[in-house]
Amino acid sequence: MKLRDRHRSAAEIPTSSMADIAFLLIIFFMLTAVFATTEGLRFDLPKDDPTQLDVQPEEAIHIKILGEGQYVVDKTPMTLEEMGGYVRMKMQQNPDKPVIIQTEGNVLYFVMIDVFDLLKYLQVENISIPTRTEIERWKAFGIFE
Amino acid sequence: MNPHRVRRIVPVIPTASMADIAFLLIIFFMLTTTFSPEKTTVELPQSEIRTEVPKDAAIIAITEEGIIRFTDGERPSFALGTAAELGPLTREVVRWLPDKEFVIKADRMVRYELIDAVLEQLRLNGAKRVGLLTERKTGGGV
């Protein structure tokens, strides 16, 4: 008796859904990923030496930040644009001129960053950000208001 | 005449290699991902000028609510009660790694007095270099 040829199908593992699973995983990782910021504005902190002043305040440009859009530069109220022009002019005369940023406590952080960014943009190398106690010390030296 | 029957092949898009490609992508993303010990979400201030800060820097995060978190760059960050608590932690880090950079990751709406208090602690305890994390400024120049 002749038996009919049985149609044999090759054994295989179904992998068609593997791509779906893998792409789902990729989408999951991409949506849950938080991109870390690793860039910003850098500066050096002065050493804590009460007998020494790193910056001679009388030679420096003194920027006082009172609030957003309220800046006093060398005792003259200015806007951010005017400050940029003033600092640029002073830097042309003396590129090593130090700049002191004094920020009032109630001012928002981004306002101070705007000024710091402007100075970096103008390629000011010598930027000093004194803390409250340093300012007090400078006042004690009688060279800072 | 009886012509030979043409055997039709069903058109198929070959998708067998899709899984390989997708898994390769997953492996690539997993290998290039770096895990940060500081995951606090803050809205950073924006600046035009930005320079790269070291990846292993100690991070001080300050949220809009004024919560300060600290990590030495290796262990996960933890919350501090006041800025003054930063002093001994800074001293400890500087004792072992004197050139360690400290990075301040503060919300743009934080009052400056808090930043000042943090800078004060860093300065008093021997930190030399500080970075202020910023986002890239979008729209308009300085």
Side-chain angles (χ1 to χ4, degrees), chain A residues 20-35:
Chain A
D20 304 337
I21 297 164
F23 276 112
L24 265 176
L25 281 172
I26 291 177
I27 291 163
F28 170 75
F29 284 130
M30 285 173 78
L31 291 181
T32 54
V34 179
F35 290 95

Side-chain angles (χ1 to χ4, degrees), chain A residues 103-118:
Chain A
T103 313
E104 291 291 301
N106 57 352
V107 172
L108 297 178
Y109 178 48
F110 78 91
V111 180
M112 177 267 183
I113 289 289
D114 285 346
V115 174
F116 194 6
D117 187 32
L118 173 71

Side-chain angles (χ1 to χ4, degrees), chain A residues 20-71:
Chain A
D20 304 337
I21 297 164
F23 276 112
L24 265 176
L25 281 172
I26 291 177
I27 291 163
F28 170 75
F29 284 130
M30 285 173 78
L31 291 181
T32 54
V34 179
F35 290 95
T37 310
T38 56
E39 285 178 59
L41 299 160
R42 297 165 80 192
F43 65 101
D44 291 319
L45 282 174
K47 281 199 192 98
D48 185 42
D49 185 354
T51 59
Q52 251 189 325
L53 290 175
D54 284 306
V55 178
Q56 294 301 316
E58 72 272 22
E59 291 170 7
I61 299 171
H62 179 203
I63 298 171
K64 200 169 180 178
I65 306 172
L66 304 171
E68 196 179 1
Q70 294 172 284
Y71 312 102

Side-chain angles (χ1 to χ4, degrees), chain B residues 1 10 15 22 30 34 36 43 45 76 82 84 87 90 93 97 104 106-107 112 120 124 129:
Chain B
M1 204 175 88
V10 185
T15 53
M30 284 172 79
T34 49
S36 170
E43 198 186 329
T82 59
T90 308
V93 171
L97 300 158
I104 297 178
D107 194 281
Y112 186 75
E120 179 77 13
L124 291 175
R129 201 154 169 78

